[in-house]
Amino acid sequence: MARIIIPTPLRKFTSNQANFEAEGKTVSEAILALTTSYGNLKQHLVDDEGKLRSFVRVYLGDEDINVLQKEATPIEKDSIISIIPAIAGGIA
Amino acid sequence: MTAQQNFKQEGSAALLGALEELSHYVGNTPLYPITRLHNKPGVRIYAKLEWEQFGGSVKARPAFNIIWEAVKSGELTQEKRLLDASSGNTGIAYAVFAAAAGIKLTLCIPENASKERKHLLKALGAEVIYTSPFEGTDGAQAVAKELYRSNPELYYYADQYNNDANWKAHFNGTAQEIWAQTNGTVSHFIAGLGTTGTFTGTGRGLRALNKDIQLISLQPESPLHALEGWKHLETAVVPGIFDDQLADKHLFVSSDKAFETLRKAALLEGLTLSPSAAANLTGALALANELDKGVIVTVLADDHSKYTDIIEEYNARR
């Protein structure tokens, strides 16, 4: 399963878990698995249509998914997906 | 007095002398009337143009006062390194004063700080330690604390989140300026929470001058936002200087609304704002809509120049 790394400010919504093992073939499916497991997280990550909200950056390995296939970017079983705040200071 | 003590005293006097010269470039910022984004009769909005200071942001005030108090007390000397965590603006303010006064500086900055901030800090000669982008300035603070613990003789740890010199800079400066510039007519002060120094110090200062003044704090509406320097308190480490009894009201601002204000402020007011400055103005405009009468004051922390990437990201999404 792919691993999603949760940034500190969102861990309040994941019972303090820093990592989430996600099933799925794309970034979008992995994020859906995450927000299905932790419902309170959904409003902070995706909009009503299920698309990533503004200013939420997602990386597959070291690559920003915006330079790949965005949410449709395919993932592998050993993929590492990182959710990173768009800015440095917002959480402190 | 030993030769070493004499040397230290002379060094301290030289530092204070250098800082005294620089103090003329801190504070006393213009108060700008917002008249085109808002024109409701009976309600006026004014904004402090805080980028018109040394270092280009509101953080000139706390950074200078923190350094000044530390040098005055003898905690920061020419032999020690000034150390702190910052998302950028305080770091840049420290760096300009440190460069001009000859103070050695070490900063812990989250790796996802904007490229302009990184370039500025490098140009100003600061030693920068990049910290995890997942943890923001909470993580940067932890790294700074550990550095200090491992070598307390080398560093003066400024700890802007827990240093009273932070909010007192606004108590003695920003609040007094607002009072004088509005001829004592200010009725509402509204500002976002980051280190909380601006809101706490200005709020306390204005309330000491008028106990009836209304203080409104602003926060981002979500933990993942684009308002550099702001805190979503529910999911962050709350600064020690935060006074949770001070605000009469709390409002929340979405990043998207702040960026919309950023765009309109440029077109209608000639103000090229940073996202957090635009968020303060967004809050002030929302408050103005609720009032029939009042004089609202907010602070515009800095201008757009350090936020190229995120402003381009917003424009690309529009």
Side-chain angles (χ1 to χ4, degrees):
Chain A
M1 284 193 285
R3 182 158 63 98
I4 302 179
I5 303 175
I6 316 292
T8 311
L10 294 185
R11 290 179 197 165
K12 179 183 167 70
F13 308 103
T14 62
S15 308
N16 270 332
Q17 297 302 305
N19 295 283
F20 178 77
E21 301 291 331
E23 296 276 8
K25 291 175 183 167
T26 62
V27 168
S28 180
E29 288 179 15
I31 298 284
L32 179 63
L34 174 66
T35 54
T36 302
S37 290
Y38 298 108
N40 290 336
L41 192 58
K42 189 175 179 182
Q43 61 174 319
H44 300 300
L45 277 184
V46 294
D47 62 20
D48 294 341
E49 295 169 9
K51 288 185 177 173
L52 283 170
R53 284 178 50 141
S54 308
F55 311 116
V56 175
R57 288 186 182 154
V58 176
Y59 283 72
L60 179 63
D62 293 331
E63 293 268 27
D64 186 334
I65 62 165
N66 283 321
V67 299
L68 301 171
Q69 295 172 52
K70 301 190 175 177
E71 284 103 320
T73 302
I75 57 173
E76 306 291 335
K77 284 182 180 174
D78 58 353
S79 291
I80 296 178
I81 301 164
S82 306
I83 301 167
I84 296 184
I87 53 157
I91 54 176
Chain B
M1 187 181 288
T2 65
Q4 193 179 15
Q5 282 172 328
N6 193 35
F7 176 75
K8 274 191 177 176
Q9 202 170 52
E10 281 178 13
S12 206
L15 266 186
L16 282 174
L19 290 170
E20 175 73 38
E21 288 295 317
L22 294 169
S23 70
H24 302 296
Y25 308 100
V26 179
N28 297 309
T29 54
L31 191 69
Y32 186 91
I34 303 297
T35 56
R36 288 162 284 271
L37 278 170
H38 157 86
N39 58 4
K40 187 175 177 181
V43 183
R44 281 174 287 161
I45 300 176
Y46 293 99
K48 294 278 277 176
L49 306 187
E50 289 292 296
W51 58 78
E52 297 207 358
Q53 301 184 77
F54 206 37
S57 85
V58 67
K59 297 299 187 178
R61 298 174 187 269
F64 179 83
N65 202 39
I66 285 170
I67 294 173
W68 174 262
E69 290 297 330
V71 172
K72 209 169 68 171
S73 67
E75 291 176 277
L76 176 59
T77 62
Q78 285 174 317
E79 289 74 44
K80 289 201 170 188
R81 299 190 73 87
L82 172 63
L83 167 69
D84 211 348
S86 167
S87 63
N89 270 342
T90 308
I92 291 164
Y94 282 142
V96 296
F97 294 123
I103 295 167
K104 291 168 285 205
L105 175 64
T106 300
L107 292 168
C108 298
I109 306 278
E111 202 181 330
N112 49 337
S114 73
K115 67 183 177 193
E116 293 94 342
R117 287 167 191 237
K118 292 175 179 173
H119 290 162
L120 275 171
L121 291 170
K122 190 176 176 189
L124 290 162
E127 177 188 54
V128 179
I129 294 166
Y130 290 111
T131 61
S132 167
F134 295 104
E135 297 174 12
T137 36
D138 287 357
Q141 281 182 79
V143 172
K145 278 180 191 163
E146 188 49 43
L147 268 178
Y148 176 68
R149 268 192 223 109
S150 66
N151 199 343
E153 297 303 315
L154 178 63
Y155 297 109
Y156 163 70
Y157 177 36
D159 195 5
Q160 59 163 328
Y161 300 90
N162 296 291
N163 190 326
D164 285 337
N166 178 343
W167 68 266
K168 284 181 180 175
H170 296 287
F171 184 94
N172 294 317
T174 319
Q176 310 306 318
E177 291 170 28
I178 290 170
W179 186 255
Q181 288 168 318
T182 62
N183 294 315
T185 62
V186 55
S187 60
H188 296 74
F189 177 70
I190 184 166
L193 300 175
T195 70
T196 74
T198 303
F199 183 77
T200 301
T202 310
R204 283 178 177 162
L206 289 171
R207 189 156 279 161
L209 293 161
N210 173 7
K211 64 180 174 49
D212 295 324
I213 196 147
Q214 294 292 295
L215 304 174
I216 298 94
S217 74
L218 298 170
Q219 289 184 56
E221 70 168 12
S222 173
L224 292 189
H225 59 87
L227 310 176
E228 188 82 61
W230 277 31
K231 262 180 176 291
H232 182 259
L233 289 184
E234 188 191 342
T235 55
V237 175
V238 178
I241 60 172
F242 178 56
D243 180 350
D244 64 0
Q245 300 299 307
L246 195 60
D248 296 291
K249 189 173 183 175
H250 307 278
L251 296 177
F252 292 83
V253 179
S254 82
S255 297
D256 283 321
K257 280 193 176 163
F259 275 74
E260 187 58 21
T261 302
L262 184 152
R263 192 179 68 80
K264 288 181 178 169
L267 291 172
L268 300 176
E269 298 282 355
L271 295 171
T272 54
L273 303 179
S274 67
S276 70
N280 269 348
L281 190 50
T282 304
L285 292 165
L287 178 65
N289 279 336
E290 295 175 8
L291 302 178
D292 294 322
K293 192 179 168 189
V295 176
I296 301 168
V297 176
T298 191
V299 289
L300 303 178
D302 58 345
D303 70 8
H304 71 289
S305 57
K306 299 187 290 292
Y307 305 91
T308 311
D309 282 349
I310 202 144
I311 292 172
E312 278 178 5
E313 183 176 328
Y314 167 75
N315 287 334
R317 279 177 173 266
R318 284 187 69 228

